[in-house]
C-alpha cells in the first residue's frame, strides 16, 4: 500500500495535535495548578449556631455544625473547563439562606485562599488589609417550623 504525500502529512498533523492534547504538562511545565481553599466562619450575632451544607456538581461536603466563631474549610482544584461552582445552604433558627460560595468567574482571579464570614445580612469575602467584599443572599426562606438542619 502506497500512502500519498498529502495523506501522510494529514496523519502526522493529526498525531501531533493529539499529542498536544494528551501531554499538556510538557507544554505548560510540570508545575501542578495551585489548590483553592475556601474557609467559612460563623460570625452570627448573639452566639447562634450555624448549619452549613455545601456542594458542587462532584462533591457533597455534608452538613457542618458551626458554633459561634468556628469555621469549616475545604480545598479543591478548579476543573479543566473552568466551571467549578460550590453552592451552600446556611441555616440558623428559623432562617434558611443559599449562596454560591465559590464561582470561578467571580473568585478565581481574587483568591486562592477564599476566607468568608457569615453574618445575618449575607456572606463577606475577607481580604487582608483591604475592604471586605460583602454579598446579599441568593434566596431567603423564613419559616417558624424549620427544624435543624433542614436542607
Amino acid at each position: 500500500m502506497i500512502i500519498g504525500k498529502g495523506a501522510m502529512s494529514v496523519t502526522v498533523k493529526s498525531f501531533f495535535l493529539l499529542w498536544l492534547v494528551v501531554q499538556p504538562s510538557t507544554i505548560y511545565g510540570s508545575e501542578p495548578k495551585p489548590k483553592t481553599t475556601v474557609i467559612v466562619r460563623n460570625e452570627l450575632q448573639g452566639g447562634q449556631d450555624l448549619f452549613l451544607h455545601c456542594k458542587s456538581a462532584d462533591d457533597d461536603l455534608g452538613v457542618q455544625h458551626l458554633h459561634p466563631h468556628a469555621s469549616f474549610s475545604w480545598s479543591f482544584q478548579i476543573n479543566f473547563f473552568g466551571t467549578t461552582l460550590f453552592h451552600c445552604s446556611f441555616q440558623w433558627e428559623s432562617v434558611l439562606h443559599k449562596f454560591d460560595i465559590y464561582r470561578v468567574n467571580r473568585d478565581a482571579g481574587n483568591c486562592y485562599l477564599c476566607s468568608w464570614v457569615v453574618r445575618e445580612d449575607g456572606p463577606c469575602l475577607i481580604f487582608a488589609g483591604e475592604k471586605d467584599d460583602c454579598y446579599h443572599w441568593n434566596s431567603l426562606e423564613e419559616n417558624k417550623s424549620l427544624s435543624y438542619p433542614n436542607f
Side-chain angles (χ1 to χ4, degrees), residues 39-45 47-52 65-72 90-92 116-120:
I39 302 169
V40 179
R41 182 176 168 92
N42 176 5
E43 291 293 332
L44 296 173
Q45 295 179 354
Q48 300 177 80
D49 284 350
L50 172 66
F51 290 91
L52 168 73
H65 182 179
L66 300 182
H67 297 292
H69 309 292
S71 60
F72 173 69
F90 302 84
Q91 185 178 347
W92 65 92
W116 292 87
V117 295
V118 175
R119 301 176 179 136
E120 287 81 354

Side-chain angles (χ1 to χ4, degrees), residues 50-54 60-65 72 148-151:
L50 172 66
F51 290 91
L52 168 73
H53 189 193
C54 298
D60 184 337
L61 304 177
V63 176
Q64 307 298 319
H65 182 179
F72 173 69
Y148 285 98
N150 185 19
F151 298 114

